[in-house]
Amino acid sequence: MIPFNTCPVCNGEVVAKQTEKLLRGGVNFAAVIVSAEICLRCGEHLYSPETLRRFEQVRRKLSAQDVEGFEPLGRSFRIPNEGG
Ligand SMILES: [Zn+2]
């Protein structure tokens, strides 16, 4: 259940979509596929309280290196600032 009919930021129309959210916990990242309401006008992503709780859970697991059941997805990199 998503509690929004219109965007709380700009009052625009929102549509339900599957979206990929990148979460970070400590040095680990995870891409989580969730449903969100996305504003057609400003692009704001709106998540249900259940989804936000799930994000928190995943972040905690990432911080604790507790990634059992998570599917490995490529590698992560950090690009240093080259002073440009
Ligand atoms: Zn909006």
Side-chain angles (χ1 to χ4, degrees):
M1 247 330 274
I2 305 236
F4 301 101
N5 296 315
T6 58
C7 175
V9 177
C10 74
N11 229 16
E13 190 187 341
V14 296
V15 291
K17 271 193 184 168
Q18 292 255 305
T19 182
E20 187 179 78
K21 170 82 172 172
L22 192 64
L23 299 176
R24 178 177 184 171
V27 297
N28 299 312
F29 292 84
V32 186
I33 311 294
V34 293
S35 47
E37 302 268 303
I38 297 169
C39 176
L40 292 175
R41 197 187 296 174
C42 74
E44 181 78 6
H45 285 47
L46 309 163
Y47 302 104
S48 67
E50 294 76 32
T51 301
L52 292 171
R53 270 199 296 277
R54 188 161 168 233
F55 289 167
E56 270 320 297
Q57 212 174 43
V58 171
R59 284 196 188 99
R60 269 201 304 275
K61 283 182 163 225
L62 289 170
S63 298
Q65 311 277 349
D66 175 14
V67 295
E68 203 185 310
F70 290 11
E71 198 179 317
L73 181 75
R75 297 163 64 193
S76 301
F77 300 94
R78 181 169 64 177
I79 317 282
N81 184 347
E82 284 171 4

